[in-house]
Amino acid sequence: MKMSKLFVQTLREFPNDAEAISHKLLVRAGYIKKLTSGIYSYLPLMQRVIAKVSKIIREEMNAAGAQELLMPFVQPSEVWEKSGRWEVYGKELARFSDRHGNKMCLAPTHEEVITSVVSGTFTSYKQLPVNLYQIQTKFRDEIRPRFGLLRGREFIMKDAYSFHTSQESLDEEYENMARAYKRIFERCGLETKMVQSDSGAIGGSVSHEFMVLTSTQTGENDVFYCEECDYSANSNHAVSILNVEETDGAKFGYSEEKLVDTPNVKTIEDLAKFLKIDSNCILKAVLYVADSKPVLVMIRGDREVEETKLLNAVGALEIRPATSDEAYEFLGCEAGYLSFLGIDKNKVKVIFDKSAKGMKNFVVGPNEPNKHLVGYNFKEEYDFIDVALVKEGDLCPRCKKPLKVTRGIEVGNIFQLGTKYSKPMNATYTDENGQDKPFIMGCYGIGVTRTAAAAIERYHDDFGIVWPKEIAPYHVDVVPVNTEDKEQMEVALKIYNKLLDEGIEVVIDDRSDRAGVKFKDSELIGFPYRITVGKTISEGLVEFKDRKTGEVEKLGYDEVVEKCKELLLN
Ligand code: ATP
Ligand code: MG
């Protein structure tokens, strides 16, 4: 490919609406162009990256025994009504009516359609298990599309679905997919951590996420992990062991229950200072609104609520912190003094976080302004459940060593669905005894475009993208320093053509721009190797530069071709 013809325009400046480094670099280096919020055109360079990631996925999925198909992107409401998700999916599901008034939607995922595809086609236990996958555009009207391709509204996903006659068979396929995923990401040049993303509860669903660990802040999730054992989980699901011995208010002289004045002291920090007590001896009340109903969380003062855990605990679709007006409306008290004490439990659901278990002689709001109760002890046995965010340094739930935290990007996940879709959709097979049974299902997703963006988050420097060579749009950039110089152009073209003949993906920068401009673009776009053809041709030498290490070697014309072959064709 000649650079003068490549459909790309690099920009001098970063786009100002971009926060994530991958977003900035993808726009600046000419990989994507925004059409509207969360919706991008994938320009030729990007399309090549997508094709490479997709090829790796296809090869590994096929090798793992899955079969590729392609399902409709536009879907009728009927299948969604059958599964029960038409009503509950929320605003991410883009719904519309066709010209006849039929309710339709743009596919955010394909559990419903795949279930209806398999149902009635594979009807006997003898035909199972089967695993079907596709690589396709999805649409989700994300509440906050951001970070470019990391969280778009339109994006490309690989989604696979497996159908089984037994839990054992599903377990086997789940392991098989976990292995395939590891290989896929490895081949994309990405190290991933497989983290638990279910609650680990017995009888609960089993699922794992594949996280690319990043140093950049754009990792959307915190991943907690233990260096001693192999425990790791994302913040939505991580659990830890808390030290409860320290949380006795008696240590601070509060061993007797008393109502004390705390005028205008509303935050935990101020309260701890005012009463000269540690915040972990205060029981904090945080009010939420879950599907428009109030939920009051009682949690230890030094802990924060993990909203996904809370959402799951109350079984709501949407959850958000209450405003101070709502606090007044639901509890009749201003925020800062809220409490589970003295409220109507029929009106407000109260959740006690596990961190509160074992607290003694603690401080708690009385649900009346400008006062707090000190030296309080629970007077009833409550059901304590975990809705708290884990903190770095908390103890590992398995081996009790301190947990560490890092940022991560979820590039894929695997899920045991069981009969969640097959039962309501009445999708069955016939077993050995001629009985109809619902399929036992698994599903397995990979964000294709997100994986490419995650690779940039992981591999970049001040000058631009540093693609792993497996998914780089091109491998080699041949740069003649002076295109006016006939001899330089001749040598550059010779090397370029040789590389092409060898099947190496190569660009020649035949633009008449200054060499400095071409070098900058080469680094910004992230070609793994650059061959510079300049003055040293008088000695029969060209310069070979490795983008990742920055190492430069002077090599002869044939030598440089051999070097590329060695690095790229094996
Ligand atoms: P998230 O928690 O990030 O919203 P999810 O649980 O909704 O992800 P799935 O529905 O399981 O994700 O989708 C499978 C994969 O698709 C994810 O692992 C992720 O890599 C990718 N993906 C999901 N949503 C987006 C998005 N808005 N933009 C880009 N990729 C996405
Ligand atoms: Mg999502």
Coordinates of all heavy atoms in Angstrom, one line a residue, residues 89 92 108-109 111 138 140 142 145-146 148-159 185 209-210 220-221 234 236 409-415 443-451, ligand 1:
Y89 N -35.6 -5.0 29.9 CA -34.3 -4.7 29.4 C -33.8 -3.3 29.6 O -32.7 -3.0 29.7 CB -34.1 -5.1 27.9 CG -32.7 -5.4 27.5 CD1 -32.2 -6.6 27.5 CD2 -31.8 -4.3 27.3 CE1 -30.8 -6.9 27.2 CE2 -30.4 -4.5 27.0 CZ -30.0 -5.8 26.9 OH -28.7 -6.1 26.6
E92 N -31.3 0.6 27.3 CA -30.2 0.2 26.4 C -30.8 -0.5 25.1 O -30.1 -0.5 24.1 CB -29.3 -0.7 27.1 CG -28.2 0.0 27.8 CD -27.2 -1.0 28.4 OE1 -27.0 -2.1 27.9 OE2 -26.7 -0.6 29.5
P108 N -29.0 -6.0 20.9 CA -27.9 -5.7 21.9 C -27.2 -7.0 22.2 O -26.1 -7.0 22.8 CB -28.7 -5.2 23.1 CG -30.0 -5.8 23.1 CD -30.3 -6.2 21.7
T109 N -27.8 -8.1 21.9 CA -27.3 -9.5 22.3 C -28.3 -10.5 21.6 O -29.3 -10.1 21.2 CB -27.2 -9.6 23.8 OG1 -26.8 -10.9 24.1 CG2 -28.6 -9.4 24.5
E111 N -29.4 -13.9 22.9 CA -29.8 -15.1 23.5 C -31.2 -15.6 23.0 O -31.5 -16.7 22.8 CB -30.0 -14.9 25.1 CG -28.7 -14.9 25.8 CD -27.9 -13.6 25.8 OE1 -28.5 -12.6 25.2 OE2 -26.8 -13.5 26.3
K138 N -23.4 -4.9 17.3 CA -24.5 -4.8 18.3 C -24.9 -3.4 18.5 O -24.0 -2.5 18.3 CB -24.0 -5.4 19.6 CG -23.6 -6.9 19.5 CD -24.8 -7.8 19.7 CE -24.4 -9.2 19.8 NZ -24.3 -9.9 18.5
R140 N -26.3 -0.9 21.6 CA -26.9 -0.7 22.9 C -26.9 0.8 23.2 O -25.8 1.4 23.0 CB -26.0 -1.4 24.0 CG -26.0 -2.9 23.9 CD -25.1 -3.5 25.0 NE -25.1 -5.0 24.8 CZ -24.5 -5.8 25.5 NH1 -23.7 -5.4 26.5 NH2 -24.5 -7.1 25.3
E142 N -26.2 2.8 25.3 CA -25.5 3.0 26.6 C -25.8 4.4 27.2 O -25.9 5.4 26.5 CB -24.0 2.9 26.4 CG -23.5 1.5 25.9 CD -23.3 0.5 27.0 OE1 -23.5 0.8 28.2 OE2 -23.0 -0.7 26.6
P145 N -22.1 6.5 26.7 CA -21.1 6.1 25.7 C -19.8 6.9 25.9 O -19.9 8.1 26.0 CB -21.7 6.3 24.4 CG -22.8 7.3 24.6 CD -23.2 7.2 26.0
R146 N -18.7 6.3 26.1 CA -17.5 7.0 26.3 C -16.3 6.2 26.0 O -16.4 5.0 25.7 CB -17.4 7.5 27.8 CG -17.5 6.4 28.7 CD -17.6 6.8 30.2 NE -17.8 5.6 31.0 CZ -17.4 5.6 32.3 NH1 -17.0 6.6 32.9 NH2 -17.6 4.5 32.9
G148 N -14.5 6.2 23.4 CA -14.3 5.7 22.0 C -14.8 4.3 21.9 O -16.0 4.0 22.2
L149 N -14.0 3.4 21.4 CA -14.4 2.1 21.1 C -14.5 1.2 22.4 O -15.1 0.1 22.3 CB -13.5 1.4 20.1 CG -13.3 2.0 18.8 CD1 -12.5 1.1 17.8 CD2 -14.6 2.4 18.1
L150 N -14.1 1.7 23.5 CA -14.2 0.9 24.7 C -15.6 0.8 25.2 O -16.1 -0.3 25.6 CB -13.4 1.5 25.9 CG -11.9 1.4 25.8 CD1 -11.2 2.2 26.9 CD2 -11.4 -0.1 25.8
R151 N -16.4 1.8 25.0 CA -17.8 1.8 25.4 C -18.6 2.6 24.3 O -18.9 3.7 24.5 CB -18.1 2.2 26.8 CG -19.6 2.0 27.1 CD -19.9 2.2 28.6 NE -19.2 1.2 29.4 CZ -19.7 -0.1 29.6 NH1 -20.8 -0.5 29.0 NH2 -19.0 -0.9 30.3
G152 N -18.9 1.9 23.2 CA -19.6 2.6 22.2 C -21.1 2.2 22.3 O -21.5 1.4 23.2
R153 N -21.9 2.8 21.5 CA -23.3 2.4 21.4 C -23.4 1.3 20.3 O -24.1 0.3 20.5 CB -24.2 3.6 21.1 CG -24.3 4.6 22.3 CD -25.5 5.5 22.2 NE -25.4 6.4 21.1 CZ -26.4 7.1 20.7 NH1 -27.6 7.0 21.2 NH2 -26.2 8.0 19.7
E154 N -22.7 1.6 19.2 CA -22.6 0.5 18.2 C -21.2 -0.1 18.3 O -20.2 0.6 18.3 CB -22.8 1.2 16.8 CG -23.0 0.1 15.7 CD -23.3 0.8 14.4 OE1 -24.3 1.4 14.2 OE2 -22.4 0.6 13.5
F155 N -21.1 -1.4 18.4 CA -19.8 -2.0 18.5 C -19.9 -3.4 17.9 O -21.0 -4.0 17.6 CB -19.3 -2.0 19.9 CG -20.3 -2.7 20.9 CD1 -20.1 -4.1 21.3 CD2 -21.4 -2.1 21.4 CE1 -20.9 -4.7 22.1 CE2 -22.3 -2.7 22.3 CZ -22.0 -4.0 22.6
I156 N -18.7 -4.0 17.8 CA -18.7 -5.4 17.2 C -18.4 -6.4 18.3 O -17.5 -6.2 19.1 CB -17.6 -5.5 16.1 CG1 -18.0 -4.5 14.9 CG2 -17.6 -6.9 15.5 CD1 -16.9 -4.5 13.8
M157 N -19.2 -7.4 18.3 CA -19.0 -8.5 19.3 C -19.0 -9.8 18.7 O -19.6 -10.1 17.7 CB -20.2 -8.4 20.3 CG -20.0 -9.2 21.6 SD -21.6 -9.7 22.4 CE -22.1 -8.1 23.1
K158 N -18.2 -10.7 19.3 CA -18.3 -12.1 19.0 C -19.2 -12.7 20.1 O -18.9 -12.5 21.3 CB -16.9 -12.8 19.0 CG -16.9 -14.2 18.6 CD -17.4 -15.2 19.6 CE -16.6 -15.3 20.9 NZ -17.1 -16.2 21.9
D159 N -20.3 -13.3 19.7 CA -21.1 -14.0 20.7 C -21.4 -15.4 20.4 O -21.7 -15.7 19.2 CB -22.4 -13.2 21.0 CG -23.1 -12.7 19.8 OD1 -22.5 -12.5 18.8 OD2 -24.4 -12.6 19.9
F185 N -6.8 -14.2 23.3 CA -6.2 -13.0 23.8 C -4.7 -13.1 23.7 O -4.0 -12.1 23.4 CB -6.7 -12.6 25.2 CG -8.2 -12.3 25.1 CD1 -9.1 -13.1 25.9 CD2 -8.7 -11.3 24.3 CE1 -10.5 -12.8 25.9 CE2 -10.1 -11.0 24.3 CZ -10.9 -11.8 25.1
E209 N -15.1 -13.1 33.9 CA -14.7 -12.1 32.9 C -13.2 -12.2 32.6 O -12.4 -12.6 33.4 CB -15.0 -10.7 33.5 CG -16.5 -10.4 33.7 CD -16.7 -9.1 34.5 OE1 -15.8 -8.6 35.1 OE2 -17.9 -8.7 34.5
F210 N -12.9 -11.8 31.3 CA -11.5 -11.8 30.9 C -11.1 -10.3 30.9 O -11.7 -9.5 30.2 CB -11.3 -12.4 29.6 CG -11.3 -13.9 29.7 CD1 -12.6 -14.6 29.8 CD2 -10.2 -14.7 29.7 CE1 -12.6 -15.9 30.0 CE2 -10.2 -16.1 29.8 CZ -11.5 -16.7 30.0
E220 N -12.2 0.3 33.1 CA -13.4 0.7 33.6 C -13.7 0.0 35.0 O -14.5 0.4 35.7 CB -14.6 0.4 32.7 CG -14.6 1.4 31.5 CD -16.0 1.4 30.9 OE1 -16.5 0.3 30.7 OE2 -16.6 2.5 30.8
N221 N -13.0 -1.1 35.2 CA -13.3 -1.9 36.4 C -12.0 -1.9 37.3 O -10.9 -2.0 36.8 CB -13.6 -3.3 36.1 CG -14.8 -3.4 35.2 OD1 -14.7 -3.3 34.0 ND2 -16.0 -3.5 35.8
N234 N -13.8 -8.9 39.9 CA -13.9 -7.5 39.7 C -14.7 -6.9 40.8 O -15.4 -7.5 41.6 CB -14.5 -7.3 38.2 CG -15.9 -7.0 38.1 OD1 -16.5 -6.5 39.0 ND2 -16.5 -7.3 37.0
N236 N -17.4 -5.4 41.2 CA -18.8 -5.6 41.4 C -19.1 -6.9 42.2 O -20.2 -7.1 42.7 CB -19.5 -5.8 40.0 CG -19.4 -4.7 39.1 OD1 -19.4 -4.8 37.9 ND2 -19.1 -3.5 39.6
I409 N -9.8 -3.8 31.9 CA -10.9 -3.6 30.9 C -11.4 -5.0 30.6 O -10.7 -5.9 30.3 CB -10.3 -3.0 29.6 CG1 -9.8 -1.6 29.9 CG2 -11.4 -3.0 28.5 CD1 -8.9 -1.0 28.8
E410 N -12.7 -5.2 30.7 CA -13.3 -6.5 30.4 C -13.4 -6.6 28.9 O -14.1 -5.9 28.2 CB -14.8 -6.5 31.0 CG -15.5 -7.8 30.6 CD -17.0 -7.7 30.8 OE1 -17.5 -7.0 31.7 OE2 -17.7 -8.3 30.0
V411 N -12.7 -7.6 28.3 CA -12.7 -7.8 26.9 C -13.6 -9.0 26.5 O -14.0 -9.1 25.4 CB -11.3 -8.0 26.3 CG1 -10.6 -6.6 26.2 CG2 -10.5 -9.0 27.1
G412 N -13.9 -9.8 27.5 CA -14.7 -11.0 27.2 C -15.3 -11.5 28.4 O -14.9 -11.2 29.5
N413 N -16.4 -12.3 28.3 CA -16.9 -13.0 29.4 C -17.5 -14.3 29.0 O -17.9 -14.6 27.9 CB -17.8 -12.1 30.2 CG -19.0 -11.7 29.4 OD1 -19.4 -12.4 28.5 ND2 -19.6 -10.6 29.8
I414 N -17.6 -15.2 30.0 CA -18.3 -16.5 29.8 C -19.3 -16.7 30.9 O -19.1 -16.3 32.0 CB -17.2 -17.7 29.7 CG1 -16.4 -17.7 30.9 CG2 -16.4 -17.5 28.5 CD1 -15.4 -18.9 31.0
F415 N -20.4 -17.3 30.5 CA -21.6 -17.3 31.4 C -22.3 -18.7 31.3 O -22.5 -19.2 30.3 CB -22.6 -16.3 30.8 CG -23.0 -15.2 31.8 CD1 -22.4 -14.0 31.7 CD2 -23.9 -15.5 32.8 CE1 -22.7 -13.0 32.5 CE2 -24.2 -14.5 33.7 CZ -23.7 -13.2 33.6
C443 N -23.3 -19.0 27.5 CA -23.0 -18.0 26.4 C -21.6 -17.3 26.7 O -21.2 -17.3 27.8 CB -24.1 -16.9 26.3 SG -24.1 -15.7 27.6
Y444 N -21.0 -16.9 25.6 CA -19.6 -16.5 25.6 C -19.4 -15.3 24.7 O -19.6 -15.4 23.5 CB -18.8 -17.7 25.2 CG -19.3 -19.0 25.7 CD1 -20.2 -19.8 25.0 CD2 -18.8 -19.5 26.9 CE1 -20.7 -21.0 25.5 CE2 -19.3 -20.7 27.4 CZ -20.2 -21.5 26.7 OH -20.7 -22.6 27.2
G445 N -19.0 -14.2 25.3 CA -18.9 -12.9 24.5 C -17.5 -12.4 24.4 O -16.7 -12.5 25.4
I446 N -17.1 -11.8 23.3 CA -15.9 -11.0 23.2 C -16.2 -9.7 22.5 O -16.8 -9.7 21.5 CB -14.8 -11.8 22.4 CG1 -14.3 -13.0 23.2 CG2 -13.6 -10.9 22.2 CD1 -13.2 -13.8 22.5
G447 N -15.7 -8.6 23.1 CA -15.8 -7.3 22.4 C -14.7 -7.2 21.4 O -13.5 -7.0 21.8
V448 N -15.0 -7.3 20.2 CA -14.0 -7.3 19.1 C -13.3 -5.9 19.1 O -12.1 -5.7 19.2 CB -14.5 -7.7 17.7 CG1 -13.5 -7.5 16.7 CG2 -15.1 -9.1 17.8
T449 N -14.2 -4.9 18.9 CA -13.7 -3.5 18.9 C -13.1 -3.1 20.2 O -12.1 -2.4 20.2 CB -14.8 -2.5 18.4 OG1 -16.0 -2.9 19.0 CG2 -14.9 -2.5 16.9
R450 N -13.7 -3.5 21.3 CA -13.1 -3.2 22.6 C -11.7 -3.8 22.8 O -10.9 -3.2 23.4 CB -14.1 -3.6 23.7 CG -13.6 -3.1 25.1 CD -14.4 -3.6 26.2 NE -15.6 -2.8 26.4 CZ -16.5 -3.0 27.4 NH1 -16.2 -4.0 28.3 NH2 -17.6 -2.4 27.5
T451 N -11.6 -5.0 22.3 CA -10.3 -5.7 22.4 C -9.2 -4.9 21.7 O -8.1 -4.7 22.3 CB -10.3 -7.1 21.8 OG1 -11.3 -7.9 22.6 CG2 -9.0 -7.8 21.9
Ligands
ATP1 P1 -20.1 -4.1 30.4 O1 -20.2 -4.6 31.8 O2 -18.7 -3.6 30.0 O3 -21.2 -3.3 30.0 P2 -21.5 -6.4 29.5 O4 -21.5 -7.3 30.6 O5 -22.7 -5.6 29.2 O6 -20.2 -5.4 29.5 P3 -21.8 -8.5 27.5 O7 -23.2 -8.2 27.3 O8 -21.5 -9.7 28.2 O9 -21.1 -7.2 28.2 O10 -21.0 -8.3 26.1 C1 -19.8 -9.2 25.8 C2 -18.6 -8.3 25.5 O11 -19.0 -7.2 24.6 C3 -18.1 -7.6 26.7 O12 -17.2 -8.4 27.4 C4 -17.3 -6.4 26.1 O13 -16.0 -6.8 25.7 C5 -18.2 -6.1 24.9 N1 -19.0 -4.9 25.1 C6 -20.1 -4.8 25.9 N2 -20.6 -3.6 25.8 C7 -19.8 -2.9 25.0 C8 -19.9 -1.5 24.5 N3 -20.8 -0.7 24.9 N4 -18.9 -1.1 23.7 C9 -17.9 -2.0 23.3 N5 -17.8 -3.2 23.7 C10 -18.8 -3.7 24.5

